[in-house]
Amino acid sequence: MEFTAILFYLFSIITIAAAAIMVFSKNIVHSAFALMFTLMGVAALYVLLYADFLAATQLLVYVGGILILILFGVMLTTQGHTFSFKTVTVNLIPASLLSVAAVGFLIFAFTATEWGISEPIEHSETVHSLGMMLMGDYVLPFIMVGVLLLIAIIGAIVMATRLSTKTDNQTN
């Protein structure tokens, strides 16, 4: 077995185990850290598939930005009243049946498909060509997305400021 295949299986196991911990953990901080390991495992799989730009984006945006934002939000908003939450399992039987049907369909599709083996293409960096496309042909959509994200951040700040002002006035 090649070293790349061993790494692929190792990162796949780490990703699936972290995702299972994320789903089944009752502690939200543990779930958030499991989500971090899941996203990092997916980034490692992207690296193994020669998608270096996607791996860097996965690490910067999801692990570096959104997950840290979630962790700060959880840690800053926990004020003791969240400890009384209890999870309630609803629709267990329909969800189980649907899950078993989905697994059966996936196994059928996996076994019925004729998998072709192709020769691997030579690895080339994708970051440079994507950067040239973003700053050349697609500069207008790139700038529009940046402005949209800036508006969303300003809106979130305004909403958070109004919410904290209302809670300050209500406590006085």
Side-chain angles (χ1 to χ4, degrees):
M1 186 179 285
E2 291 183 24
F3 182 66
T4 307
I6 293 171
L7 284 177
F8 178 79
Y9 289 124
L10 178 70
F11 287 129
S12 298
I13 290 170
I14 289 172
T15 303
I16 291 171
I21 291 171
M22 179 189 69
V23 170
F24 294 117
S25 177
K26 294 191 185 274
N27 189 335
I28 194 165
V29 176
H30 293 167
S31 293
F33 278 107
L35 176 63
M36 180 179 71
F37 283 111
T38 303
L39 295 174
M40 290 173 72
V42 170
L45 291 174
Y46 283 149
V47 169
L48 289 176
L49 296 172
Y50 300 125
D52 48 351
F53 179 75
L54 281 178
T57 304
Q58 176 89 10
L59 286 177
L60 288 175
V61 173
Y62 290 108
V63 177
I66 293 176
L67 187 62
I68 298 302
L69 185 65
I70 290 172
L71 280 175
F72 274 118
V74 167
M75 290 180 187
L76 292 176
T77 57
T78 302
Q79 297 175 0
H81 62 276
T82 58
F83 294 113
S84 63
F85 287 133
K86 293 188 180 203
T87 59
V88 177
T89 304
V90 293
N91 298 327
L92 184 63
I93 294 174
S96 299
L97 291 175
L98 188 62
S99 299
V100 168
V103 168
F105 176 73
L106 288 175
I107 289 172
F108 172 73
F110 181 76
T111 56
T113 303
E114 294 183 24
W115 298 97
I117 298 175
S118 61
E119 292 295 322
I121 58 173
E122 187 170 323
H123 172 61
S124 63
E125 291 186 14
T126 58
V127 176
H128 183 265
S129 59
L130 283 173
M132 293 305 289
M133 281 179 22
L134 280 177
M135 291 299 139
D137 297 337
Y138 299 103
V139 70
L140 182 62
F142 184 71
I143 290 174
M144 290 176 66
V145 167
V147 170
L148 182 66
L149 288 175
L150 179 65
I151 291 170
I153 290 171
I154 291 172
I157 290 172
V158 168
M159 289 176 63
T161 306
R162 286 184 185 167
L163 183 64
S164 66
T165 305
K166 285 183 181 177
T167 56
D168 289 343
N169 291 338
Q170 291 176 349
T171 57
N172 291 336

